[in-house]
Amino acid sequence: MRLRTVGSGETRSVAAWHDTSQQWVDLDAAAQAIEPGARGDLTRDMLTFLASRERGRATAASLMDRAVADGVAVITPTPTRPLQPASLRCFMGWEQHWSQAAHQLVRRNLPAAMPFIRGVEMVTRKDFPALRPGASFADHPMYYTGNHLTVLADGAVVPWPSYSDLLDVELEFGMIVDRPLRDATPAQGADAIGGFVVFNDLSARDTQWDEQRNGSFGPVVKTKTFASSMGSVIVTADEVLGRLDDLSASVVVDGETWSSTGTAGLRYGPGETVAYASRGEDVYPGEMMTSGTLPSGCGLELDRWIAPGNTVTLSIDVIGSVTNTIGSKG
């Protein structure tokens, strides 16, 4: 089921997509129209709805059928953030992305090293050691903790960070956890995912080069924490989990397709990812975990660069999209 949040504060409610009529229905407004006084968190709060699983979807389906038949609560929502993540953990899902991005960083910033790197790779038929993911990637999922307070809404203008001249977008999906976990199994991890959303992990690439070479905490500090964005639509996990390894995806800038890619080849499944996050610590409802960048899902890999005023749309089949305009440099 496709869901979004409409309104704010006391007027906030959950809207759902009615497949039969191809319309959005405000579930709380529908409940009020059909059963006056029957307001509840199920129709007002996204996380509560996700956690209700089959019961919530059945309630929504019934409400939508009756609302559409009666001509009430049908809306045309504007893009917004469907929820405020309680935390943000950004994983690395595809080795191909890491390799392509690492090679491009070196090619752009240290071109004199490329002939030697190419020579080593021709002999070994492997990526140059320094341009591979860390050895731990073969053993378990890897992530960094992002800034959940700077996640922008679908449709928002991206503020260009004052310290960067080279901004980039990264196509990912996010997984919303809707129940508490600790030391979970992969099956329990998958069961704790309430929904999926498209995610844009914005990056300051010139800052990344400096942090990766000279910083103490790796290339994901000021490189990443200034902003990211998420789509306005959350798709419930039952529609995504069984087909997550075969979804097409794209990066479109000002109407031009920069990249056509997909989700095939994900190193660790969603359940393994969430389970690893819960190893030895509590994971709470509302936390968001992202997939890492899809192969060829960022400008760095393509050597194509966004500029102020560009409109960027990142899309993943079944899950949805996120669109943002890039703001001016400060």
Side-chain angles (χ1 to χ4, degrees):
M1 184 170 284
R2 298 172 64 198
L3 306 166
R4 58 197 308 166
T5 296
V6 294
S8 60
E10 291 300 315
T11 64
R12 181 184 62 193
S13 62
V14 177
W17 179 251
H18 189 241
D19 285 326
T20 304
S21 66
Q22 297 288 286
Q23 298 177 96
W24 287 100
V25 176
D26 182 328
L27 298 181
D28 198 54
Q32 285 296 294
I34 295 167
E35 299 178 36
R39 300 192 71 190
D41 286 345
L42 182 65
T43 57
R44 290 185 292 175
D45 180 72
M46 179 64 72
L47 198 55
T48 299
F49 185 93
L50 291 174
S52 68
R53 303 300 174 85
E54 294 85 355
R55 178 176 64 87
R57 294 196 296 272
T59 298
S62 176
L63 283 173
M64 287 191 291
D65 286 343
R66 295 176 65 182
V68 169
D70 294 346
V72 298
V74 173
I75 58 172
T76 303
T78 56
T80 188
R81 190 174 54 199
L83 54 72
Q84 169 63 61
S87 76
L88 178 61
R89 306 179 196 230
C90 300
F91 284 79
M92 183 176 73
W94 289 268
E95 185 171 356
Q96 182 183 345
H97 158 70
W98 177 276
S99 174
Q100 292 176 169
H103 280 78
Q104 286 287 23
L105 271 176
V106 173
R107 186 174 289 112
R108 182 178 184 86
N109 293 283
L110 199 61
M114 288 308 298
F116 173 72
I117 289 172
R118 283 195 294 266
V120 171
E121 291 180 339
M122 287 179 63
V123 172
T124 63
R125 297 186 180 182
K126 296 180 180 179
D127 283 344
F128 191 72
L131 303 184
R132 301 175 198 161
S136 293
F137 183 65
D139 298 323
H140 58 75
M142 297 194 300
Y143 72 90
Y144 69 89
T145 301
N147 188 350
H148 65 289
L149 297 177
T150 58
V151 179
L152 302 170
D154 193 6
V157 174
V158 173
W160 194 291
S162 59
Y163 49 81
S164 176
D165 291 316
L166 201 62
L167 195 59
D168 199 4
V169 297
E170 297 194 62
L171 168 60
E172 309 189 12
F173 61 78
M175 301 172 286
I176 310 299
V177 174
D178 67 4
R179 57 191 59 184
L181 290 173
R182 186 181 180 94
D183 287 322
T185 66
Q188 291 168 333
D191 189 55
I193 300 170
F196 288 78
V197 63
V198 177
F199 184 78
N200 183 354
D201 187 18
L202 292 147
S203 300
R205 294 301 189 189
D206 44 357
T207 305
Q208 181 178 14
W209 177 250
D210 177 69
E211 288 186 339
Q212 191 157 355
R213 295 171 67 240
N214 301 316
S216 300
F217 297 104
V220 292
V221 187
K222 299 303 285 186
T223 297
K224 298 282 190 177
T225 54
F226 62 93
S228 56
S229 66
M230 63 189 298
S232 57
V233 174
I234 292 177
V235 179
T236 52
D238 61 295
E239 296 198 9
V240 180
L241 281 172
R243 53 195 304 191
L244 189 55
D245 196 44
D246 190 29
L247 301 179
S248 59
S250 64
V251 177
V252 176
V253 180
D254 289 344
E256 179 187 359
T257 299
W258 280 17
S259 177
S260 295
T261 180
T263 58
L266 185 63
R267 175 64 178 83
Y268 294 99
E272 294 173 290
T273 297
V274 176
Y276 181 76
S278 78
R279 183 182 296 181
E281 64 179 287
D282 293 316
V283 170
Y284 295 95
E287 296 198 45
M288 182 161 69
M289 305 185 189
T290 69
S291 62
T293 307
L294 276 63
S296 300
C298 68
L300 174 61
E301 292 173 85
L302 308 169
D303 197 22
R304 300 192 69 172
W305 301 95
I306 56 173
N310 285 159
T311 297
V312 180
T313 298
L314 308 182
S315 303
I316 302 177
D317 187 33
V318 178
I319 301 176
S321 66
V322 60
T323 297
N324 298 97
T325 298
I326 308 303
S328 59
K329 293 183 180 181

